[in-house]
Amino acid sequence: MSKIAILTGGGDCPGLNPVIRAVVRKGINEGYQIIGIKNGWKGLMENDIMPLNLDTVSGILPKGGTILGTSRTNPYKKEGGIEKIRDNYAKLGLDALIAVGGEDTLGVAAKLIKDGITNIVGVPKTIDNDLSCTDYTFGFDTAINIAMECIDRLHTTAESHHRIIVVEVMGRHAGWIAVEAGIAGGADIILIPELPIDIEQVCSLIRKRHARGKTFSIVVVAEGAQFKEGTMVTKEQKLDEFGHVRLGGIGEILAQEIEKRTGFETRVSVLGHIQRGGSPTAFDRILGTRFGVKAVELVKNKKFGRMVALSGTKIIDIPIEKAIEVLKTVDMELYDIAKEFFG
Ligand code: F6P
């Protein structure tokens, strides 16, 4: 019986379990044996696996996170990592591997394919929605719905206390969460990594609102946003195995600056991992399910080196390396729409 393995790597997000379930259900329907690799590339290096069958995936559709676990392990940064992957892939008798991840996990997948080590099909995931060649990644819709609800809640307290509330959302290089949650939540200003923050302009928009009688404002800022003259605000300088720093703190700095310059009382709320947790929305469950089914079809048709993607309303497939070439940053036409509501 042909064997397919599936792994989930990088930051978790809602919608991973629907993909796993769909791969298992469709795989079994097509006569494959499916196994799960635990904790991303780390599990393939360590031969850490779990059986996947109708029982193990029963009931996981509404569950956030990933039943396989995940890690940010980069086998190209580990001594002997690639040899271990080659050996375990052969030892497990795999015919194909479905790698579910963002730019880092899929970047490793693209290298492994180039090095002739594994047959891989990719599935794009990230709450940041910054992978190219797919209109959406699953996890994003859930994240923006959570952030929107938080912004709604912050509105009521900001209004009662006549305060400015700065809401820091995730988004390392791209401000998709900030823009879409900000539009949906009626933010008064949205700041994103793609555009440097002009603090004077932010303060003058807030003053303008106050001048027309609004005594509160909601400012949404993506964690990767930077001041005109500055660099990204980080929690620590240490780089992970993919060269990323841990971001966080721009909201606090921004809030202090706004209060100092405008004299209006300002608070900050950092949404953090709340945006990545919990049950996926219907959109993410459906997208994950469609991606999982399509991934097995690609394996069946031996279309290795391809990634499933959403184009309009259709699920298509594209070369994995195309998706990781450049990050998909915020569409400025969408940002212009958000700007109509600033101030
Ligand atoms: O890549 C998704 C993401 O949620 C980013 O928005 C964020 O910067 C990062 O992961 C946080 O990573 P970690 O969970 O490792 O702290």
Side-chain angles (χ1 to χ4, degrees), residues 210-288:
H210 276 243
R212 70 178 170 89
K214 289 285 178 192
T215 58
F216 68 97
S217 296
I218 299 288
V219 179
V220 175
V221 61
E223 61 181 354
Q226 301 166 40
F227 288 104
K228 255 183 174 170
E229 51 291 323
T231 48
M232 282 200 276
V233 182
T234 60
K235 284 223 178 293
E236 55 182 23
Q237 282 310 310
K238 211 176 93 206
L239 299 181
D240 71 11
E241 290 177 9
F242 289 95
H244 305 300
V245 280
R246 260 183 76 204
L247 297 179
I250 182 71
E252 186 59 52
I253 296 173
L254 190 63
Q256 283 171 16
E257 209 49 45
I258 290 171
E259 189 167 276
K260 195 170 84 189
R261 290 176 187 239
T262 64
F264 303 134
E265 195 180 15
T266 307
R267 295 285 191 269
V268 61
S269 195
V270 180
L271 303 191
H273 290 84
I274 287 172
Q275 293 158 99
R276 282 217 324 241
S279 188
T281 57
F283 181 89
D284 284 338
R285 293 182 198 192
I286 295 165
L287 187 59

Side-chain angles (χ1 to χ4, degrees), residues 10-13 72 102-104 125-130 169-174 177 223-224 235 240 244-248 272-273 275-276:
D12 74 324
C13 78
R72 292 196 187 275
E103 49 156 339
D104 299 332
K125 91 52 260 194
T126 164
I127 64 161
D128 288 358
N129 198 38
D130 58 1
V169 298
M170 279 187 170
R172 212 197 296 255
H173 306 292
I177 297 178
E223 61 181 354
K235 284 223 178 293
D240 71 11
H244 305 300
V245 280
R246 260 183 76 204
L247 297 179
H273 290 84
Q275 293 158 99
R276 282 217 324 241

